[in-house]
Amino acid sequence: MTILIEQSDHFGAEVEAKTEPINERELVLDGGFLIPQTNSFGHMFRAYNDAGSERREGVENFYRKNHTYQSVDFVKKMREEYAKLNRVEMSIWECCELLNEVVDESDPDLDEPQIEHLLQTAEAIRRDYPDEDWLHLTGLIHDRKLLEKLHFLYHKHLPVWLNADLGKVLNLPSFGGLPQWAVVGDTFPVGCRFDESIVHHKYFKENPDYNNPAYNTKYGIYSERCGLNNVMMSWGHDDYMYLVAKENSTTLPSAALFIIRYHSFYALHREGAYKHLLNDEDVENLKWLHIFNKYDLYSKSKVRIDVERVKPYYLSLIEKYFPAKLKW
């Protein structure tokens, strides 16, 4: 089938998806951007209960640990530690280029440089939303594997990018110190009841917050329409990248920061849970997140990206919305 995304000329436009049957195995957006119907293993995306999935056991074990250990106390500890932003200074583009140092054995597109993969998502958005330059840049920097790869780079390739104050940085916890369950995966609020729509919900029973009366009600420590900015989310690359952007005084609009912070919050933007915590600004920003996720989850393109050709455009966006060097 073909998905056509209709655009509106006002901020916060709703997305309307129309379908028509075709014989191809992929969904095509204008401009050559492809949305595959199945993942690289031949299964439907996010089919966690697919008994035939080769990765099912590993994914389930990941979420068992994630749901057991992502508690209020753990999130507070991670926020305090990573809010220091005292590990290294580098630009956004330097960070993107560093991803080419990593060989990701879980990535089926090993013949493409990592920066090219990031640019595929960004360029697809750019074709469909040419006037929203902040959305193009968000497509480049949001990458769900970014923090995981930075962990690897920090641990394996220190001489490539650390500044002269090497000893001071090495005395701090390295990026490689966190396990994957604290870096990637779906995110969710802590401090209130874990919604049953969260994948592998059963493993929350081992979480210390599960039976805590202060945390296991609908609102928990929050109040109706309090706004997601006042809600603690499970710790991972989403909150970290939001923290880096915000604390480095980015001028990206609210919708961009919302996308960076909540693009893995599937219980909200896919299942419709936790809407009782949203304020008016969240509701408007969620519309942009729905647009963005059509490019994020299914990003794939048959068109190779000429990095050097598009690089000046993205450098101009980085200069527009970020300082020359960021603290990480």
Side-chain angles (χ1 to χ4, degrees):
M1 61 175 68
T2 300
I3 287 184
L4 305 175
I5 296 182
E6 293 188 348
Q7 302 177 44
S8 176
D9 58 359
H10 65 278
F11 184 84
E14 290 280 8
V15 178
E16 180 180 353
K18 297 181 178 181
T19 62
E20 56 180 308
I22 59 175
N23 293 326
E24 297 177 0
R25 293 188 61 205
E26 293 173 301
L27 311 180
V28 186
L29 291 173
D30 290 341
F33 180 77
L34 303 179
I35 300 180
Q37 289 181 314
T38 58
N39 61 24
S40 59
F41 298 96
H43 303 293
M44 297 300 293
F45 285 96
R46 298 181 58 79
Y48 292 104
N49 294 318
D50 182 355
S53 174
E54 290 86 346
R55 304 183 70 188
R56 179 176 180 271
E57 183 176 349
V59 170
E60 185 165 347
N61 185 55
F62 164 88
Y63 278 108
R64 179 183 61 80
K65 295 177 181 178
N66 175 276
H67 294 353
T68 299
Y69 301 124
Q70 289 275 6
S71 65
V72 168
D73 287 345
F74 174 77
V75 171
K76 286 181 177 180
K77 180 180 178 181
M78 291 297 99
R79 281 187 168 191
E80 180 181 359
E81 174 60 37
Y82 280 87
K84 298 173 184 176
L85 295 180
N86 54 4
R87 289 167 172 75
V88 70
E89 291 189 10
M90 61 180 168
S91 70
I92 292 290
W93 191 263
E94 286 174 331
C95 180
C96 293
E97 288 185 325
L98 282 171
L99 299 189
N100 288 335
E101 300 286 333
V102 180
V103 176
D104 187 349
E105 295 181 355
S106 69
D107 191 338
D109 299 318
L110 292 177
D111 59 331
E112 295 181 3
Q114 294 293 336
I115 193 171
E116 194 169 330
H117 176 70
L118 298 181
L119 286 167
Q120 285 178 347
T121 300
E123 283 290 279
I125 296 172
R126 182 183 176 188
R127 283 190 293 267
D128 290 347
Y129 293 85
D131 298 328
E132 308 292 349
D133 64 357
W134 61 270
L135 194 59
H136 313 161
L137 183 57
T138 304
L140 180 70
I141 68 175
H142 86 285
D143 184 26
R144 67 180 59 246
K145 293 183 178 179
L146 182 58
L147 182 55
E148 180 182 8
K149 291 169 182 174
L150 281 174
H151 287 181
F152 179 88
L153 284 166
Y154 186 89
H155 188 65
K156 297 294 186 181
H157 300 286
L158 292 175
V160 175
W161 56 282
L162 278 181
N163 59 25
D165 200 5
L166 181 63
K168 180 179 179 181
V169 176
L170 289 179
N171 284 330
L172 300 171
S174 75
F175 283 119
L178 291 181
Q180 283 205 9
W181 59 261
V183 178
V184 295
D186 291 10
T187 58
F188 47 84
V190 297
C192 62
R193 180 187 301 149
F194 302 116
D195 191 84
E196 292 186 1
S197 66
I198 301 172
V199 63
H200 291 305
H201 178 272
K202 61 185 178 182
Y203 293 120
F204 282 119
K205 293 180 180 180
E206 302 302 319
N207 189 297
D209 295 347
Y210 186 80
N211 292 313
N212 187 329
Y215 301 144
N216 64 6
T217 62
K218 179 179 180 179
Y219 291 99
I221 59 177
Y222 311 115
S223 59
E224 186 172 10
R225 296 173 55 81
C226 63
L228 290 183
N229 194 48
N230 295 308
V231 174
M232 285 189 292
M233 300 293 295
S234 56
W235 179 255
H237 72 284
D238 311 65
D239 233 21
Y240 176 69
M241 288 306 301
Y242 165 80
L243 184 67
V244 169
K246 181 175 179 291
E247 294 304 316
N248 282 281
S249 302
T250 181
T251 56
L252 283 170
S254 171
L257 294 175
F258 189 92
I259 290 170
I260 292 171
R261 196 175 194 182
Y262 303 114
H263 65 270
S264 299
F265 189 6
Y266 283 92
L268 170 66
H269 60 71
R270 184 182 176 106
E271 305 297 337
Y274 296 104
K275 286 188 175 181
H276 55 282
L277 299 177
L278 306 188
N279 59 24
D280 291 341
E281 184 178 19
D282 294 332
V283 172
E284 288 302 308
N285 288 339
L286 182 59
K287 297 171 184 178
W288 278 110
L289 180 54
H290 282 145
I291 291 173
F292 184 85
N293 259 53
K294 293 182 181 295
Y295 299 89
D296 177 29
L297 180 60
Y298 309 106
S299 61
K300 178 184 177 183
S301 177
K302 289 181 178 178
V303 179
R304 296 294 298 270
I305 301 296
D306 185 341
V307 176
E308 292 305 313
R309 182 181 64 82
V310 301
K311 180 178 178 179
Y313 174 71
Y314 288 98
L315 287 177
S316 71
L317 296 188
I318 292 170
E319 183 178 2
K320 178 179 178 180
Y321 290 110
F322 284 97
K325 294 287 186 179
L326 283 72
K327 295 180 179 180
W328 299 76

